[in-house]
Amino acid sequence: MKIPILALRDQAHVAKGTTRLIYEWPGDHSRLIKVHKRWQPSENDGAWVRWFKAHEDWFLFRTGILRELNVYLRTRYDDWQSLNEHIAPILGLVDTDLGLGFVITAVRDAQGGLAPTARQLLRSEQMTAERAVKLQALVSLIEDSPWVIGDLNLDNIVLSEAGLPHEKFMLIDGLGERTLLPVQHWLPWARQRQKKRFAAKVRRRLAKL
């Protein structure tokens, strides 16, 4: 059986993070695909660097995606104060011509574009009082939750269906840890301290509006 490979190489990415590029699924705007950025080989690379570059995709999935999936499973089976309703659904994995892809639900605004991030709303002065209340409610749920959310920042929170009466903030990334050692998984106090710091930072930012 020949494994089908999804072609992304000639397609422009719609967003990017520190370690991943994000593409729309060809012909289906309801899905997004995250693929890891590739390091470019260099003739000056040593043996260890060459080995890591050959295995980086495996390493990043082991230290990131598997942990993210583990936390995601918990959110779907632990009904904790409805925070799971604010986490964008994960759809699975797919082979692409850029490496293994992580498939997630595309969270969009009222016009069908990618939903604006909380940071974008703040910078463009579109964070209304009503939206600020909704954001603070989500931040409180995150702060009090028992789950590891290692990458907490305002770019990972977006306003779903922005412009419609039922718009709501969603967490689109950040579950689990991508560090070599999963400290927050091992130490609950470190996990909660990180979330409380994030919550306090967001509240200070909103208080300035």
Side-chain angles (χ1 to χ4, degrees), residues 10 12 20 39-40 43-44 54 64 66 102 115 132 136 147 152 155 160-161 166 169 180 192 199 202:
D10 296 329
R20 297 189 283 194
W39 287 6
Q40 296 299 317
E43 60 182 14
N44 298 321
L66 288 183
F102 189 52
Q136 290 196 64
W147 304 323
L152 279 171
D155 292 317
S160 173
E161 299 186 295
H166 52 277
F169 283 100
L180 179 61
Q192 297 309 115
V202 173

Short mmCIF file of all heavy atoms in Angstrom, two decimals, residues 10 12 20 39-40 43-44 54 64 66 102 115 132 136 147 152 155 160-161 166 169 180 192 199 202:
data_model
loop_
_atom_site.label_atom_id
_atom_site.label_comp_id
_atom_site.label_asym_id
_atom_site.label_seq_id
_atom_site.Cartn_x
_atom_site.Cartn_y
_atom_site.Cartn_z
N ASP A 10 4.51 23.67 -2.23
CA ASP A 10 4.29 24.80 -3.13
C ASP A 10 3.17 25.72 -2.66
O ASP A 10 2.77 26.64 -3.39
CB ASP A 10 3.98 24.29 -4.54
CG ASP A 10 5.16 23.54 -5.14
OD1 ASP A 10 6.31 23.87 -4.81
OD2 ASP A 10 4.91 22.60 -5.93
N ALA A 12 1.62 28.47 0.12
CA ALA A 12 2.08 29.46 1.10
C ALA A 12 1.46 29.16 2.46
O ALA A 12 0.28 28.81 2.56
CB ALA A 12 1.68 30.86 0.65
N ARG A 20 6.99 26.09 14.20
CA ARG A 20 6.12 25.44 13.23
C ARG A 20 5.55 26.42 12.22
O ARG A 20 5.35 27.59 12.51
CB ARG A 20 4.98 24.72 13.96
CG ARG A 20 5.47 23.62 14.87
CD ARG A 20 4.34 22.75 15.41
NE ARG A 20 3.60 23.38 16.48
CZ ARG A 20 2.76 22.73 17.29
NH1 ARG A 20 2.56 21.43 17.11
NH2 ARG A 20 2.12 23.36 18.25
N TRP A 39 15.57 22.75 9.75
CA TRP A 39 16.87 23.40 9.78
C TRP A 39 17.56 23.13 8.45
O TRP A 39 17.52 22.03 7.91
CB TRP A 39 17.73 22.82 10.89
CG TRP A 39 17.31 23.23 12.26
CD1 TRP A 39 16.22 23.96 12.61
CD2 TRP A 39 17.99 22.92 13.47
NE1 TRP A 39 16.16 24.13 13.96
CE2 TRP A 39 17.24 23.51 14.52
CE3 TRP A 39 19.14 22.22 13.78
CZ2 TRP A 39 17.61 23.41 15.86
CZ3 TRP A 39 19.53 22.11 15.09
CH2 TRP A 39 18.79 22.70 16.12
N GLN A 40 18.26 24.14 7.94
CA GLN A 40 19.00 23.98 6.70
C GLN A 40 20.38 23.38 7.00
O GLN A 40 21.09 23.85 7.88
CB GLN A 40 19.15 25.33 5.99
CG GLN A 40 17.82 25.93 5.54
CD GLN A 40 17.10 25.03 4.56
OE1 GLN A 40 17.70 24.47 3.64
NE2 GLN A 40 15.79 24.88 4.75
N GLU A 43 27.65 22.82 5.66
CA GLU A 43 28.88 22.03 5.57
C GLU A 43 29.71 22.14 6.84
O GLU A 43 30.62 21.34 7.08
CB GLU A 43 29.71 22.51 4.37
CG GLU A 43 30.12 23.97 4.44
CD GLU A 43 30.89 24.41 3.22
OE1 GLU A 43 30.89 23.68 2.21
OE2 GLU A 43 31.50 25.49 3.29
N ASN A 44 29.40 23.13 7.68
CA ASN A 44 30.13 23.29 8.94
C ASN A 44 29.52 22.51 10.09
O ASN A 44 30.03 22.54 11.21
CB ASN A 44 30.19 24.78 9.31
CG ASN A 44 30.94 25.61 8.28
OD1 ASN A 44 31.96 25.17 7.75
ND2 ASN A 44 30.45 26.80 8.00
N ALA A 54 18.69 15.34 11.24
CA ALA A 54 18.05 14.20 10.59
C ALA A 54 16.90 13.64 11.42
O ALA A 54 16.00 12.99 10.89
CB ALA A 54 19.08 13.10 10.33
N GLY A 64 6.84 17.31 22.04
CA GLY A 64 5.79 18.30 21.93
C GLY A 64 4.43 17.71 21.64
O GLY A 64 3.52 17.76 22.46
N LEU A 66 3.22 14.58 21.26
CA LEU A 66 2.70 13.50 22.10
C LEU A 66 2.24 14.03 23.46
O LEU A 66 1.21 13.60 23.98
CB LEU A 66 3.76 12.41 22.28
CG LEU A 66 4.04 11.56 21.04
CD1 LEU A 66 5.05 10.46 21.37
CD2 LEU A 66 2.76 10.93 20.50
N PHE A 102 0.52 17.95 11.85
CA PHE A 102 -0.41 17.88 12.98
C PHE A 102 -1.66 18.65 12.58
O PHE A 102 -1.61 19.84 12.29
CB PHE A 102 0.26 18.53 14.20
CG PHE A 102 -0.47 18.34 15.49
CD1 PHE A 102 -0.86 17.09 15.92
CD2 PHE A 102 -0.76 19.44 16.30
CE1 PHE A 102 -1.51 16.92 17.14
CE2 PHE A 102 -1.42 19.28 17.51
CZ PHE A 102 -1.79 18.02 17.92
N ALA A 115 -9.24 33.48 12.86
CA ALA A 115 -9.70 34.27 14.01
C ALA A 115 -8.56 35.14 14.54
O ALA A 115 -7.41 34.70 14.61
CB ALA A 115 -10.21 33.35 15.11
N ALA A 132 -13.14 41.88 26.85
CA ALA A 132 -12.21 41.79 27.97
C ALA A 132 -12.77 40.90 29.08
O ALA A 132 -12.04 40.12 29.70
CB ALA A 132 -11.90 43.18 28.51
N GLN A 136 -10.99 37.49 30.36
CA GLN A 136 -10.65 37.27 31.76
C GLN A 136 -11.29 35.99 32.28
O GLN A 136 -10.69 35.27 33.10
CB GLN A 136 -11.10 38.47 32.61
CG GLN A 136 -10.28 39.72 32.36
CD GLN A 136 -10.47 40.77 33.43
OE1 GLN A 136 -10.12 40.55 34.58
NE2 GLN A 136 -11.05 41.89 33.06
N TRP A 147 -4.48 21.15 34.27
CA TRP A 147 -3.75 20.65 33.12
C TRP A 147 -2.48 21.44 32.84
O TRP A 147 -2.36 22.63 33.17
CB TRP A 147 -4.65 20.71 31.88
CG TRP A 147 -5.93 19.97 32.06
CD1 TRP A 147 -6.11 18.79 32.73
CD2 TRP A 147 -7.22 20.36 31.59
NE1 TRP A 147 -7.42 18.43 32.69
CE2 TRP A 147 -8.14 19.35 32.01
CE3 TRP A 147 -7.70 21.45 30.86
CZ2 TRP A 147 -9.49 19.41 31.71
CZ3 TRP A 147 -9.05 21.50 30.56
CH2 TRP A 147 -9.93 20.50 30.98
N LEU A 152 1.85 29.48 27.28
CA LEU A 152 0.77 30.43 27.48
C LEU A 152 1.19 31.81 26.98
O LEU A 152 2.12 32.41 27.51
CB LEU A 152 0.39 30.51 28.96
CG LEU A 152 -0.53 29.41 29.48
CD1 LEU A 152 -0.64 29.50 31.01
CD2 LEU A 152 -1.91 29.51 28.85
N ASP A 155 -0.90 35.04 21.76
CA ASP A 155 -1.01 34.60 20.37
C ASP A 155 -1.69 33.24 20.26
O ASP A 155 -2.13 32.85 19.18
CB ASP A 155 0.37 34.55 19.71
CG ASP A 155 0.97 35.93 19.54
OD1 ASP A 155 0.22 36.84 19.13
OD2 ASP A 155 2.17 36.10 19.82
N SER A 160 -12.93 33.24 18.41
CA SER A 160 -13.70 32.48 17.44
C SER A 160 -14.96 33.22 17.02
O SER A 160 -15.66 33.81 17.85
CB SER A 160 -14.09 31.12 18.04
OG SER A 160 -14.95 30.40 17.20
N GLU A 161 -15.25 33.21 15.71
CA GLU A 161 -16.43 33.86 15.13
C GLU A 161 -16.53 35.32 15.55
O GLU A 161 -17.62 35.83 15.86
CB GLU A 161 -17.69 33.09 15.51
CG GLU A 161 -17.66 31.65 14.98
CD GLU A 161 -18.94 30.90 15.20
OE1 GLU A 161 -19.29 30.66 16.37
OE2 GLU A 161 -19.61 30.57 14.20
N HIS A 166 -22.25 35.42 19.34
CA HIS A 166 -21.78 34.31 20.17
C HIS A 166 -20.26 34.10 20.08
O HIS A 166 -19.77 33.00 20.34
CB HIS A 166 -22.51 33.02 19.78
CG HIS A 166 -22.44 32.72 18.31
ND1 HIS A 166 -23.28 33.28 17.40
CD2 HIS A 166 -21.61 31.91 17.60
CE1 HIS A 166 -23.00 32.84 16.18
NE2 HIS A 166 -21.97 32.03 16.28
N PHE A 169 -13.57 33.24 23.08
CA PHE A 169 -12.14 33.01 23.00
C PHE A 169 -11.84 31.51 23.07
O PHE A 169 -12.47 30.76 23.81
CB PHE A 169 -11.41 33.74 24.13
CG PHE A 169 -11.29 35.22 23.89
CD1 PHE A 169 -12.15 36.12 24.50
CD2 PHE A 169 -10.32 35.71 23.03
CE1 PHE A 169 -12.05 37.48 24.27
CE2 PHE A 169 -10.20 37.08 22.79
CZ PHE A 169 -11.07 37.97 23.41
N LEU A 180 12.75 19.76 26.93
CA LEU A 180 13.35 18.42 27.03
C LEU A 180 12.86 17.70 28.28
O LEU A 180 12.50 16.52 28.23
CB LEU A 180 14.88 18.53 27.03
CG LEU A 180 15.64 17.21 27.15
CD1 LEU A 180 15.32 16.30 25.97
CD2 LEU A 180 17.15 17.47 27.24
N GLN A 192 1.17 25.41 38.24
CA GLN A 192 0.22 26.42 38.68
C GLN A 192 0.86 27.81 38.77
O GLN A 192 0.23 28.82 38.46
CB GLN A 192 -0.38 26.03 40.02
CG GLN A 192 -1.20 24.74 39.98
CD GLN A 192 -2.23 24.73 38.88
OE1 GLN A 192 -2.17 23.94 37.94
NE2 GLN A 192 -3.20 25.63 38.95
N ALA A 199 -1.89 34.68 34.05
CA ALA A 199 -3.18 35.30 34.36
C ALA A 199 -2.99 36.71 34.90
O ALA A 199 -3.70 37.64 34.52
CB ALA A 199 -3.94 34.44 35.36
N VAL A 202 -2.06 39.12 32.05
CA VAL A 202 -3.19 39.46 31.21
C VAL A 202 -4.10 40.46 31.93
O VAL A 202 -4.58 41.44 31.33
CB VAL A 202 -3.99 38.22 30.81
CG1 VAL A 202 -5.28 38.59 30.07
CG2 VAL A 202 -3.14 37.31 29.93
#
